Amino acid sequence: MSQQGYVATPPYSQAQPGMGGYQGGFGTGPAQPLYGHYGGPPQAFNAPPTGKLVSLSISRFSVAQQHFQTPPPPAMGQPQMLQGPQSPLMSPQMSPPQSPQASMSVTNQPMASPQMAGPPMAGPPMAGMGRPFPGAPPPGPGGFQPPGPGAAGPQGYPQQPGNCDSGRQFGGHMMGPQPGMPGAFPGAPAAMSGPPQKKLDPDSIPSTTQVIEDDQVKKGGQVFSTNIRGQVPPLVTTDFTVQDQGNASPRFVRCTTYSLPCTADLAKQCQVPLASIIKPFASLPKNETPLYVVNHGETGPIRCNRCKAYMCPYMQFIDGGRRYQCGFCNCVNEVPVFYFQHLDHMGRRVDFYERPELSLGSYEFVATLDYCKNNKPPNPPAYIFMIDVSYNNIKSGLVKLICDELKTLLEKLPREEGAESSAIKVGFVTYNKVLHFYNVKSALAQPQMMVVSDTAEMFVPLLDGFLVNYQDSRAVIYNLLDQIPDMFADTNESETVFAPVIQAGVEAFKAAECSGKLFIFHSSMPTAEAPGKLKNRDDKKLVNTEKEKTLFQPQKGVYEQLSKDCVAQGCCVDLFLFPSQYVDLATMADVPSHTGGSIYKYNNFQVKHSADLHHFLRDLRKDVQKSIGFDAIMRVRTSTGFRATDFFGAIHMNNTTDVEIAAVDCDKAVTVEYKHDDTLNEETGAFIQCALLYTTVNGQRRLRIHNLSLNCSSQLLELYKSCETDSLINFFAKSAYRAILNQPLKNVREILVNQTAHMLACYRKNCASPSAASQLILPDAMKVFPVYMNSLMKTAPLMGSTELSTDDRAHQRLSVMGMGVEDTQLLLYPLAAVPAPVRCSEERLDDSGMFLLENGHSMFLWLGQASPPDLIQGIFNLPSLAHLQGHMVRVHLTAALCLISCFWDKPEIQFRQFLVEDKSLHGGASYMDFLCYVHREIRQLLT
């Protein structure tokens, strides 16, 4: 282990009331009161902090970024001085435009240019704006706090006329909402006059690809040591190595800001959400050390007597090592006799480096029987594969494909490090209107089928032989997988059940007294007479109405109860859907989305299409093999002055503190929002501890602990400097996607814009150098925040368009709720490359070029009409692009799905939707127009 440690600052803070622990590992703990909104009466801005601040500014609607030269990391808790080079202002020949319709161009005049010295901001204080998507359940109808007075200006994007080309004119009229353009904000002024327009330089606005590249150049390939409090990590797109020296790796925890405002008033003033995105099971690269496992035997983990926080680097040992003061609640605890150790001359235990829980940010404890259900060690978990064998699935070849794949995939079930084979048991069910269970006991020569036709009272007809060890029963299982496609080859049954299938899985796990996961392969809406039967409720007339939210809401009753049953048993559900029409995904995916499960959707799947085939098989292989924990409870504890108040993810909550997850895998993240309940201390900072109690794949109960220390500041500038755009957008995406269950889309989009404007206006008012009102000033850490926000508002769930499939919209909404920061970043700003990354805009596509675009779900290879013949020959072994014309070509490149799209192909429309800097086909604004609109909102807030 490294010989450099993390030195915890001695915390001396007030006790935190009402923090209960896991009672016997599963208790609910004292209920904490729900937290209200930041909002209320208008807040005056404080004077800007003193210090040297330099802006880079551009003429009208231009972007000014605060550039800082980063000094060496300071000691913990010490403020950093901001220094930077003189940066240019607008050119003197360009007088400030009198209308919001002027041009944007980068200039390089020195800062001393007297003609353009902007007056200090005048006008009344900014209005306090209600937080957009705060804690549950929020006050007011539908869960949204409306914007406060003065926050929302006139609505309407300045829509960008014409096609995307390098000679676009910016300006003309500020167009109001257009027919079929739900992304526009209603009520825009019909026209606004202005001076003659100048051409717009697209390179003058912040570039996401440039920000990513700069961070890679600056921090790529380096070691990120976690021994400094409040240290902002490299971007998720940067390749770096983490050395745990007292704070959790950013792979496990990322924050919206690493410097919390000291008071609730400051938090209310800036409107920057305070949140962390926790990915407890994140995968670590091979060059990083796996988590150490600490075993204290029957004594179990050492915890604070009052708040139940676990031993960590933030505990301060006193009285010669006989006692320790809790960093979270300040309680002084006795050190158990077996755990006593002397202190060195610095007051640190002499075994500091020998104990992971004293020197590392992340580690695991072996849990005692107190943490187990019924005080009994858990059994190893199980995987049950449940296959829809209705007519279409048999005829399409899907059932045979699944059975063939499982033969090899079962060899790769997750196992403990060093174990020869997996301890996970396996079981098999097929179904249509009835369910078929299979006995695959190793002693049998042939598998045996048992049919349950009474789907109203679901039970498992056999105990012995249903859940088996794969290695022992391999021959019988192979036999079964060979027989299933033939057994149902002549079926005419097209109706299916669904809810009874999940119920069967729960009952099987109950009987075996274990947790586990169901892999369900399903194709159509469950219309057979049984609990959970669904009817088509897809109604395009509801789009852009008050009732549109019902399209996203699951049907209550059976599925709601099923979710609770699954979580109670530790039964996670992964759903593989192969629909050819509407299936009411919002309802069918309700159980997966509350149990830590995943939802995979393959529209019009065809076994014979290699792209469909590879897409599905890649997802299935990854899903079965990924690292995972079962039957989990997560508690987030904080130091005095703030607390966790809201949680977003594929989770279930029975109370306000315990996050329950039937299973948590390496891809799932929980986003946690925090609110103040007292003043935070700049000297001691703020501590967060995430404790996840779970069952390993071999049936051991463990606690996985992640600790993070943040700075606290009374200077808003420190908060903005420490912001992380990728984490912010993860929070806003989940907040907005949950909000659309209760609010009209128009309200949700308006609040997103209002909050964007409010955060940036607060920065300008409090942190930026005085400058002309015509300039748009952005914090350096948030300079590409607007492009992400605009991209979010153009995603399918937030676009009220009848052209978008209701199931596809519901699928994206549910998928995002469990995503980590890496996944939302890629989804909202796809990677467009070959040979180097380019911005996601049509302007960047070269007619003679080739571009690969990926967003984590889809991948496109775009070929220009003038692509060189030798390029086409090298990829497709065809003489020219003309030979591809008229049909869709699907290829398999480097194990990734690539859709080869040409101008005449239908996928061109889908491809263009990923060009997020351009105007959306469904009416969303371009990046340029969105910046202009936000700038106008900021100016209204500041005047």
Side-chain angles (χ1 to χ4, degrees), residues 518-563:
L518 309 182
F519 296 81
I520 304 180
F521 305 90
H522 193 93
S523 293
S524 58
M525 183 183 288
T527 55
E529 284 300 328
K533 174 184 176 180
L534 298 177
K535 294 179 180 177
N536 191 329
R537 59 189 185 110
D538 188 20
D539 186 355
K540 297 292 186 185
K541 293 176 185 173
L542 299 181
V543 174
N544 284 319
T545 72
E546 291 282 328
K547 293 186 177 179
E548 183 173 9
K549 59 195 175 191
T550 61
L551 297 175
F552 297 107
Q553 294 168 349
Q555 295 187 40
K556 298 290 185 184
V558 172
Y559 292 97
E560 190 173 29
Q561 185 58 45
L562 260 183
S563 293

Side-chain angles (χ1 to χ4, degrees), residues 909-930:
I909 297 171
Q910 196 178 356
F911 173 77
R912 286 174 186 272
Q913 283 180 249
F914 295 126
L915 301 178
V916 295
E917 292 198 14
D918 296 340
K919 183 177 169 182
S920 166
L921 297 172
H922 302 294
S926 72
Y927 174 27
M928 211 83 71
D929 292 346
F930 181 71

Side-chain angles (χ1 to χ4, degrees), residues 67-71 80-85 218:
H67 287 279
F68 309 119
Q69 291 177 338
T70 309
Q80 294 187 25
M81 294 302 294
L82 303 184
Q83 295 179 339
K218 185 178 177 183

Side-chain angles (χ1 to χ4, degrees), residues 281-596:
F281 264 77
S283 299
L284 297 178
K286 290 183 179 177
N287 62 341
E288 292 182 15
T289 309
L291 298 195
Y292 287 93
V293 180
V294 180
N295 190 346
H296 288 320
E298 293 183 6
T299 309
I302 295 172
R303 310 172 67 178
C304 172
N305 290 330
R306 180 192 289 161
C307 71
K308 304 301 180 186
Y310 293 88
M311 180 56 63
C312 70
Y314 315 141
M315 304 300 190
Q316 181 72 19
F317 286 87
I318 56 177
D319 194 14
R322 287 182 286 273
R323 296 191 296 170
Y324 68 92
Q325 186 169 33
C326 176
F328 295 87
C329 72
N330 200 38
C331 175
V332 174
N333 299 267
E334 297 292 326
V335 173
V337 174
F338 84 93
Y339 200 70
F340 171 78
Q341 187 56 267
H342 293 286
L343 307 184
D344 63 15
H345 65 286
M346 295 174 63
R348 195 164 61 182
R349 286 171 59 116
V350 297
D351 62 351
F352 178 81
Y353 294 112
E354 297 166 21
R355 293 195 177 273
E357 71 273 24
L358 300 181
S359 55
L360 299 179
S362 299
Y363 42 86
E364 291 196 331
F365 288 115
V366 174
T368 57
L369 290 179
D370 297 347
Y371 294 86
C372 303
K373 285 180 179 175
N374 305 319
N375 281 9
K376 285 171 56 181
N379 291 316
Y383 282 179
I384 304 178
F385 298 90
M386 315 180 101
I387 306 169
D388 169 1
V389 289
S390 56
Y391 176 82
N392 285 339
N393 285 3
I394 293 292
K395 292 305 178 191
S396 70
L398 177 61
V399 172
K400 187 175 189 314
L401 171 67
I402 293 168
C403 290
D404 287 346
E405 177 61 25
L406 287 179
K407 290 179 195 173
T408 54
L409 197 48
L410 291 173
E411 297 279 358
K412 301 173 181 175
L413 294 171
R415 60 177 184 256
E416 278 294 298
E417 194 75 33
E420 288 186 14
S421 62
S422 175
I424 292 177
K425 300 284 186 68
V426 294
F428 303 88
V429 173
T430 56
Y431 66 95
N432 40 48
K433 281 172 67 171
V434 298
L435 277 73
H436 322 104
F437 294 80
Y438 296 94
N439 185 343
V440 285
K441 196 173 181 180
S442 58
L444 296 175
Q446 289 281 338
Q448 297 173 344
M449 176 200 283
M450 305 186 82
V451 180
V452 176
S453 54
D454 182 5
T455 52
E457 295 292 333
M458 184 47 60
F459 67 99
V460 180
L462 74 159
L463 297 179
D464 189 28
F466 178 59
L467 295 179
V468 298
N469 183 289
Y470 165 70
Q471 299 294 341
D472 296 342
S473 297
R474 184 187 312 181
V476 191
I477 290 171
Y478 270 43
N479 202 329
L480 171 66
L481 294 173
D482 283 337
Q483 289 184 38
I484 285 175
D486 296 332
M487 271 192 281
F488 300 97
D490 299 325
T491 185
N492 290 316
E493 187 56 72
S494 58
E495 286 193 325
T496 59
V497 297
F498 184 66
V501 177
I502 300 176
Q503 190 65 51
V506 175
E507 296 302 325
F509 291 148
K510 274 185 187 171
E513 296 185 346
C514 72
S515 52
K517 180 184 277 196
L518 309 182
F519 296 81
I520 304 180
F521 305 90
H522 193 93
S523 293
S524 58
M525 183 183 288
T527 55
E529 284 300 328
K533 174 184 176 180
L534 298 177
K535 294 179 180 177
N536 191 329
R537 59 189 185 110
D538 188 20
D539 186 355
K540 297 292 186 185
K541 293 176 185 173
L542 299 181
V543 174
N544 284 319
T545 72
E546 291 282 328
K547 293 186 177 179
E548 183 173 9
K549 59 195 175 191
T550 61
L551 297 175
F552 297 107
Q553 294 168 349
Q555 295 187 40
K556 298 290 185 184
V558 172
Y559 292 97
E560 190 173 29
Q561 185 58 45
L562 260 183
S563 293
K564 294 177 182 176
D565 293 345
C566 283
V567 171
Q569 187 54 44
C571 171
C572 174
V573 179
D574 278 2
L575 179 58
F576 293 80
L577 268 176
F578 305 86
S580 55
Q581 56 192 13
Y582 175 78
V583 295
D584 192 359
L585 185 139
T587 300
M588 291 190 69
D590 187 53
V591 178
S593 67
H594 283 96
T595 60

Side-chain angles (χ1 to χ4, degrees), residues 730-745:
N730 178 284
F731 172 84
F732 279 114
K734 293 182 181 183
S735 303
Y737 281 6
R738 184 163 77 182
I740 61 179
L741 292 175
N742 303 307
Q743 284 285 303
L745 292 187

